[in-house]
Amino acid sequence: MAGTAVRGRLTWQVSAVTALIDETASVKTIELQAPDWAGHLAGQHLDVRLTAEDGYRAERSYSIASAPGEPVALTVERLEDGEVSPYLTEELRPGDDLEIRGPVGGYFVWDGDDSVTPLMLIAGGSGVVPLRSILRHRSNLRSTVPVRLLYSARSLADVIYRDELDQEGAGVEVIYTLTRQQPQGWTGHRGRVDKSMLSEVAWPPDQQAIAYVCGPTPFVETVASSLVGLGYPAQRVKTERFGGIGGS
Amino acid sequence: MDDLDGNAMGGLMQEIFGVEMTTAIETCAHCGNAAVVAETAVYLRGPGAVMRCPTCTNILMVVVRRQDMHCVDMQGIASLSPAGQTA
Amino acid sequence: MSPISRGFHGRRREPAEQSSRVPPGQYVTQDFPVLSAGPTPRTALDNWSFSIRQSGNTSKSWTWSELQDLPVEDVTADIHCVTRWSKLDTRWRAVSVDTLLAQVEHNARYVLAFCDGGYTTNLPLADVTAGQAWVAFDYDGEPLAPEHGGPARLLVPHLYFWKSAKWVRGLELLDKDEPGFWETYGYNMYGDPWREQRYAGD
Ligand SMILES: Cc1cc2nc3c(=O)[nH]c(=O)nc-3n(C[C@H](O)[C@H](O)[C@H](O)COP(=O)(O)OP(=O)(O)OC[C@H]3O[C@@H](n4cnc5c(N)ncnc54)[C@H](O)[C@@H]3O)c2cc1C
Ligand SMILES: [Zn+2]
């Protein structure tokens, strides 16, 4: 079926890297120009495919960090012993081609619905990436939906998008918990997210909040089951698991 | 615990089925449990992609890629309805 | 046609002097990647046994400690995974399948290995005898980790590594070849890495 685009059917397309931005010591944002991009929703991801000269291929998924309407951007955390993330964060240069397939997903998305349902966003490490798209979308829409973001990072230096998050305006509360290292005089949360932290930080269940939980698989499992334990109906806890990767 | 969930198979499924599938509802042929595809357990580190029932771990779907062909087996799924439709 | 990703080589490190030991299409890795098609089963050693079955009946079975009392071999082997990595000089402690089969009477021509978690894989009897296959329980001097198939896995290094079934609990002896898990989904019934027998018909 060469040359015919079947509606809805996803195919691989070649995008061009336009910029690489340092977020933390191990995290970079990659901005792409994707001529055939159909537009995306907040929370969606895409698949990246790398091809070596001998034809060897590797594929991975990455959340879209930018808001709908903005050029496609990814934010990738480098795993020392990983195959794809060190390439994306260290080898890739502006002007390089990057093969992508997307946008993907319809479950872990926020469509901008402006009803008053508060959002409870909970991120472990790079799990903040799709939630950042949701926050930017909310702000672009001038939505007044109340949002809390609970973001678990190893240390303050590992917080991705910190400047942006610290400037979030009215209606957005950003709460960090630092799991490994806290700065002198840190008064915020420390340690991993658990049920007692959630009972303090999360919207009470009677607020009918929708929770979006994203990050390494063990993190997501713990947070999602704690939320259900606190009285969140399972259908109001949306999850996306990144696998057994990285730190939170 | 490095398993993923149905979101991670979204791109592959959309390439195969031609529509967004992570919001579809699957019913497990083994235990009868219905779940959103995004909430199934997915294993991509192997010769093929394997999707399992989040309740009973029964295999729902296996996709094996051979060059540019996909071989899809869904014997473990009793019904699969795209979002907004009922079986 | 996909564009080549400039500067991308995958996880490979391929010292030239070892290339005669690496089958076509494979690259050498120092890691030990985990392949999984499901959750990692965890069976307590007290409840563990290894059985040889024929026509649905158990002909012989060994508890964990009975297996440990059998003659144990140190095996060093190169392993080749169908997902294209090879790992050289892996070191195992294991009981030879010859030792196990010597204790049952049979005239089978094939075996189907069965495992905790429901995984199966098929092999010709001729490929699990004559010192070519083991039930391995130590890797690199340590008890085999659950993610790598512990407490015990089959070790058949001359075939693609999906034949070296993780969490193995026994062998079913068969007259006719029957596809196992991946073989049912189009993978090769035999799986010789040197002939790149990945899929049915290769
Ligand atoms: C829907 C989705 C969205 C995602 N979004 C993002 C995102 O926005 N940003 C982001 O940074 N990441 C994201 N990820 C994770 C990303 O897809 C990759 O998993 C991550 O970048 C690691 O890839 P890698 O090739 O560098 O590491 P890999 O080579 O895959 O290795 C990952 C880790 O597992 C270990 N490992 C590798 N192979 C094996 C194996 N076979 N067995 C056992 N252990 C192994 C490695 O040692 C390493 O620690 C997302 C994942 C999903 C599913
Ligand atoms: Zn089930």
Side-chain angles (χ1 to χ4, degrees):
Chain A
M1 287 208 292
T4 36
V6 179
R7 206 180 109 78
R9 197 162 290 248
L10 268 192
T11 48
W12 292 96
Q13 57 174 289
V14 181
S15 67
V17 176
T18 53
L20 288 132
I21 300 148
D22 289 324
E23 298 284 358
T24 73
S26 61
V27 176
K28 274 190 188 156
T29 289
I30 302 165
E31 292 186 349
L32 301 174
Q33 194 203 352
D36 299 323
W37 194 248
H40 60 270
L41 305 170
Q44 283 185 307
H45 66 272
L46 53 70
D47 296 333
V48 166
R49 177 163 79 179
L50 303 180
T51 305
E53 267 173 35
D54 63 0
Y56 173 81
R57 275 176 171 170
E59 258 178 60
R60 297 290 185 277
S61 297
Y62 292 96
S63 298
I64 300 167
S66 49
E70 296 174 347
V72 181
L74 311 178
T75 300
V76 179
E77 174 180 10
R78 183 183 72 237
L79 300 188
E80 284 323 323
D81 49 358
E83 177 166 46
V84 170
S85 62
Y87 175 85
L88 295 176
T89 50
E90 276 159 13
E91 184 63 36
L92 204 63
R93 299 281 175 272
D96 281 345
D97 287 340
L98 189 65
E99 208 177 7
I100 57 174
R101 175 176 68 188
V104 175
Y107 174 73
F108 199 81
V109 301
W110 182 65
D111 60 7
D113 178 4
D114 217 347
S115 59
V116 282
T117 305
L119 301 183
M120 185 66 229
L121 310 180
I122 306 178
S126 56
V128 73
V129 178
L131 307 183
R132 190 262 200 146
S133 172
I134 292 176
L135 285 171
R136 278 176 90 109
H137 189 41
R138 176 189 177 279
S139 134
N140 291 348
L141 291 175
R142 301 200 157 61
S143 160
T144 54
V145 170
V147 181
R148 283 184 193 161
L149 168 67
L150 172 59
Y151 180 2
S152 171
R154 278 172 294 220
S155 71
L156 213 47
D158 289 300
V159 170
I160 310 170
Y161 314 129
R162 189 164 157 223
D163 290 347
E164 196 174 311
L165 294 176
D166 287 347
Q167 282 167 25
E168 280 291 347
V172 180
E173 286 172 74
V174 178
I175 304 136
Y176 300 114
T177 180
L178 304 179
T179 56
R180 291 214 195 141
Q181 199 184 66
Q182 300 81 19
Q184 283 279 307
W186 175 254
T187 54
H189 294 270
R190 46 184 79 209
R192 297 188 173 277
V193 177
D194 58 12
K195 199 165 161 187
S196 81
M197 193 187 296
L198 286 167
S199 68
E200 233 177 279
V201 168
W203 302 103
D206 60 11
Q207 302 255 322
Q208 306 286 308
I210 294 193
Y212 290 78
V213 186
C214 188
T217 299
F219 173 88
V220 173
E221 300 285 349
T222 311
V223 173
S225 60
S226 303
L227 285 173
V228 171
L230 289 172
Y232 275 65
Q235 316 84 269
R236 289 191 163 258
V237 181
K238 291 177 184 274
T239 50
E240 184 160 87
R241 293 162 182 79
F242 280 8
I245 57 153
S248 53
Chain B
M1 234 187 358
D2 61 355
D3 44 326
L4 298 165
D5 58 36
N7 294 303
M9 251 174 94
L12 179 60
M13 283 189 290
Q14 194 167 340
E15 189 173 326
I16 293 167
F17 294 93
V19 288
E20 204 298 295
M21 292 298 289
T22 62
T23 48
I25 309 285
E26 58 75 22
T27 306
C28 171
H30 184 249
C31 73
N33 178 68
V36 183
V37 166
E39 297 280 8
T40 60
V42 162
Y43 300 83
L44 298 180
R45 280 188 180 147
V50 176
M51 178 187 290
R52 289 178 183 265
C53 173
T55 318
C56 76
T57 77
N58 168 50
I59 294 181
L60 301 170
M61 191 188 304
V62 178
V63 181
V64 167
R65 177 179 313 174
R66 180 172 189 175
Q67 277 137 26
D68 285 325
M69 292 253 294
H70 296 290
C71 155
V72 185
D73 181 289
M74 302 200 294
Q75 286 185 58
I77 298 183
S79 74
L80 183 63
S81 10
Q85 292 173 27
T86 38
Chain C
M1 273 291 286
S2 298
I4 304 299
S5 312
R6 184 195 54 75
F8 177 66
H9 310 290
R11 216 189 276 283
R12 68 203 57 208
R13 277 147 258 158
E14 208 156 349
E17 75 272 15
Q18 287 168 341
S19 59
S20 67
R21 288 170 64 183
V22 183
Q26 298 290 112
Y27 64 93
V28 175
T29 178
Q30 314 298 324
D31 312 330
F32 194 166
V34 173
L35 264 75
S36 58
T40 300
R42 292 176 199 263
T43 304
L45 293 184
D46 289 346
N47 300 328
W48 190 93
S49 63
F50 188 91
S51 319
I52 297 202
R53 293 203 302 228
Q54 299 187 67
S55 4
N57 301 317
T58 301
S59 309
K60 173 84 193 161
S61 91
W62 295 264
T63 63
W64 181 256
S65 60
E66 287 166 347
L67 189 90
Q68 305 290 311
D69 288 341
L70 297 172
V72 167
E73 300 175 17
D74 287 307
V75 182
T76 300
D78 299 347
I79 56 179
H80 312 292
C81 179
V82 73
T83 61
R84 299 189 180 272
W85 55 265
S86 291
K87 190 168 171 60
L88 306 182
D89 298 317
T90 60
R91 298 191 304 118
W92 308 83
R93 259 174 105 68
V95 169
S96 170
V97 172
D98 291 311
T99 307
L100 302 170
L101 287 177
Q103 300 193 27
V104 284
E105 257 182 58
H106 71 89
N107 43 26
R109 298 182 50 221
Y110 295 92
V111 302
L112 188 69
F114 56 92
C115 307
D116 281 325
Y119 183 77
T120 56
T121 189
N122 56 314
L123 306 115
L125 190 87
D127 285 84
V128 296
T129 48
Q132 298 181 89
W134 295 266
V135 173
F137 42 81
D138 276 11
Y139 170 73
D140 218 9
E142 303 283 339
L144 183 59
E147 61 269 28
H148 289 302
R153 76 181 297 161
L154 206 60
L155 176 65
V156 194
H158 70 289
L159 298 178
Y160 277 128
F161 211 45
W162 89 79
K163 298 286 184 181
S164 294
K166 304 204 295 191
W167 313 302
V168 71
R169 290 293 296 274
L171 299 174
E172 173 101 49
L173 303 182
L174 300 167
D175 299 334
K176 288 208 198 84
D177 205 4
E178 274 180 25
F181 181 80
W182 288 117
E183 295 84 4
T184 305
Y185 298 118
Y187 276 85
N188 196 277
M189 291 291 271
Y190 186 63
D192 180 353
W194 295 95
R195 289 188 281 160
E196 287 201 75
Q197 290 178 332
R198 298 170 194 281
Y199 304 102
D202 281 351

